[in-house]
Structures are given as C-alpha cells and as structure tokens.
Amino acid sequence: MKTLIQTYTLSNGVKIPKIGFGTWQVPNGDVAYQSVALALKNGYRHIDTAAAYQNEESVGKAIKDSGIPREEIFVTSKLQSHIKTYAGALEAFEKTMEALDIGYLDLYLIHAPWPWNEIGKDCSKGNVLAFKALEKLYNDGRVRAIGVSNFNTKDLDNILEHCAIVPHVNQIGYFIGHNEKETDDYCKAKNILVEAYSPLAIGHLLKNNDIQDMAKKYDVTPAQICIRYCIQKDVAPLPKSTHESRIIENAAVDFEIDAKDMIYLDSINDDPRKW
Ligand code: A2P
C-alpha cells in the first residue's frame, strides 16, 4: 500500500493518514485553495490548517469542492495560542467551524503552550482550561480527536496531571537534525502520536550535502529522504508546497532507508538556528 494512504491509529482508535498536507504560511484565497485542491487531487487525504494561518475558509472550500466524501479526508485545525480560557476556546472553535464549514473536525489542537509573542511564558493553568474545552468538544462529538502542538514534556505533564484525556497528538517542529528525542520518547511512551511540521526545515535541509548524497544513493530527492525519515520514525510528516510537482514528489516516498542510514541521518547536526 502506498505510504500516502497508509494510516497511524491514534490511542482512541481513530485512523489518521501518515502524511498530511501542511498549510502554514499559505495565504488565504487562491493560493491556499489551489494548493489544497492539488493535494487532494494527488491523493493526500490529511489536511492541516490553523486559525492562526488565516486560511481556514479557503482550505474548507477546497475540501468541499473536491467532491471527495467528507469522511475520507482527515482535517486538523488549531486553537490560537493566546486563547487560554475555557469559554474563549469554545468560542474560537465555533469560529473555526464557521470558516471551514465542513461539519465536523477530525483533530483540534492547542496551537502552542504560550502565545507566540510571549514564547516560554508559564500558561499552565490556561492550558488546562483550554484543554478541558477541547475535552468537551470531543465528548460532544464535535471533533474526533484532540491534542496539542509545540508542547514539551513539562507542558504535557501538566495536561496529563490535570485533565481526563491524554492528548491524542502532539504536533512539533521535527526534522533530520532536530528530532526532539526527549519529547518523542515521552509521546511514544504515552501513546501520543507525534506529527512533524516543517519536515524539510522550511526547505533548509534540501541544501544539506549529506542528505543530498543519500538522496543520490536511493535515487530519490532530498525532500523525499526528509519525509521518509519521519515515516520510519513513526511520526506523521506534514510537508507543504504550493507547487504541484513538489506536492507529488513529497508524497512519493515508497522506499526504505536502511537501518544504518537511519542512524547516520540521526547523527546529522545541522543547527536549525542557521535557517
Ligand atoms: P514551495 O511552496 O514554493 O514549494 P517545510 O514543509 O519544512 O516547512 O518546507 C516548506 C518549504 O519547502 C516551502 O518553502 C516549499 O516551497 C519548499 N518545498 C516543499 N517541498 C519541496 C520540494 N519537494 N523541493 C523543494 N522545495 C520544497
């Protein structure tokens, strides 16, 4: 079976396609609409957006216009990172659903443990309140799974200690040279699926000589090495592109990186602060 239509199973039994299509920084309107339409046309069945991306409307429209039955597409959105109250989270969810207009959501995530303009701020109480709102949405059948994003082990401990549901997903920046081992180990131990945003390090890794050499060895592209690496780490990559040829390329990862080469890729230390 093609990797693109293979699934992981979340801890609640819900199936999620292994490769998702990311839409961060894809502007609302024609660009977001066309990219999502192209992704769906080329077989992607997992689309990732967020209120903060401000493109939910176009993403939703592309999903509706695709003619693909709603239940065949796995859709994720996220609660804006500054919203840390129970009522605020419920209200924001309704806005997201209005913008997407697709009936229900497959996965709803707290976008970050702190507002993006106050990275590192202690919002542990607010994260619990927001997550309890997500639990209500889940229990009410509005979303099929709930989770968090950009949470480290301490942030996750806080949720596990004070909430009833263990998040089904933690979406983090994850790529070769930045594989967040501590968070990944923690999530695997608690059966929380890790999703990898920016699996190409926003394109930075495509220039890495070691990755280029390995791509030649397997007769694939550097992007395909980066995406396949995530799959073999049992993580769900969310590559994004606005170009059809790359959308197709990023999904064509039906090859196997051998164990020795995976260890080699693990050893690459391409300092992410340089990009
Ligand atoms: P574009 O949209 O112009 O194709 P990441 O997923 O790590 O955030 O990386 C996304 C960036 O990498 C985007 O700038 C995207 O540009 C570019 N990109 C995506 N796929 C490929 C690819 N297969 N080859 C080269 N660049 C790519």
Side-chain angles (χ1 to χ4, degrees):
M1 191 199 281
K2 276 190 165 185
T3 311
L4 188 57
I5 52 169
Q6 286 173 6
T7 55
Y8 292 117
T9 303
L10 302 178
S11 60
N12 63 349
V14 166
K15 290 194 184 326
I16 175 170
K18 287 188 174 181
I19 299 179
F21 184 71
T23 64
W24 177 46
Q25 290 181 330
V26 180
N28 198 39
D30 218 37
V31 182
Y33 180 85
Q34 290 301 340
S35 341
V36 173
L38 286 170
L40 292 171
K41 180 186 132 198
N42 286 293
Y44 289 73
R45 290 294 180 269
H46 171 181
I47 309 290
D48 184 275
T49 182
Y53 304 166
Q54 300 184 338
N55 59 16
E56 288 171 314
E57 202 183 323
S58 304
V59 169
K61 185 161 166 33
I63 290 168
K64 284 181 289 176
D65 290 355
S66 70
I68 299 164
R70 169 68 187 90
E71 61 278 11
E72 288 178 21
I73 307 177
F74 190 100
V75 187
T76 301
S77 193
K78 312 185 192 85
L79 173 69
Q80 278 184 290
S81 62
H82 65 276
I83 300 174
K84 300 293 181 200
T85 62
Y86 185 83
L90 294 180
E91 194 186 323
F93 177 77
E94 297 307 335
K95 283 194 189 134
T96 273
M97 294 316 293
E98 207 175 296
L100 281 168
D101 190 26
I102 51 169
Y104 66 91
L105 205 57
D106 293 281
L107 175 63
Y108 197 43
L109 306 176
I110 296 179
H111 205 143
W114 16 250
W116 285 110
N117 57 359
E118 291 176 279
I119 292 179
K121 182 181 173 186
D122 180 8
C123 298
S124 25
K125 288 208 173 84
N127 286 325
V128 168
L129 295 174
F131 199 76
K132 283 184 187 287
L134 269 56
E135 289 180 329
K136 174 176 168 49
L137 295 167
Y138 178 73
N139 290 328
D140 288 351
R142 306 288 305 279
V143 297
R144 296 173 68 228
I146 53 176
V148 295
S149 180
N150 296 295
F151 273 43
N152 63 22
T153 56
K154 214 167 134 235
D155 301 320
L156 287 163
D157 272 340
N158 175 46
I159 299 296
L160 266 56
E161 196 180 325
H162 297 105
C163 297
I165 298 175
V166 176
H168 302 116
V169 165
N170 184 19
Q171 182 180 128
I172 56 178
Y174 181 108
F175 42 84
I176 295 168
H178 182 75
N179 66 11
E180 294 277 13
K181 194 166 176 345
E182 194 190 341
T183 304
D184 190 36
D185 286 350
Y186 180 108
C187 288
K188 286 193 165 62
K190 306 280 184 198
N191 208 359
I192 301 169
L193 178 73
V194 170
E195 294 185 334
Y197 70 76
S198 294
L200 316 177
I202 324 183
H204 170 76
L205 284 178
L206 309 179
K207 300 186 292 260
N208 179 287
N209 289 335
D210 291 323
I211 295 175
Q212 286 179 351
D213 288 347
M214 198 166 293
K216 276 192 207 117
K217 173 177 167 185
Y218 286 90
D219 197 18
V220 297
T221 66
Q224 289 167 332
I225 292 286
C226 293
I227 293 162
R228 184 70 209 176
Y229 173 85
C230 294
I231 300 283
Q232 290 185 217
K233 289 285 187 179
D234 291 323
V235 159
L238 306 171
K240 61 174 182 294
S241 174
T242 50
H243 298 94
E244 186 168 22
S245 59
R246 291 173 174 174
I247 289 172
I248 295 169
E249 175 187 330
N250 294 344
V253 290
D254 303 314
F255 65 100
E256 191 75 20
I257 302 172
D258 72 33
K260 232 168 70 232
D261 287 336
M262 283 298 286
I263 291 169
Y264 185 72
L265 292 173
D266 280 338
S267 75
I268 288 178
N269 184 9
D270 200 350
D271 184 354
R273 282 166 300 186
K274 278 188 264 163
W275 44 274

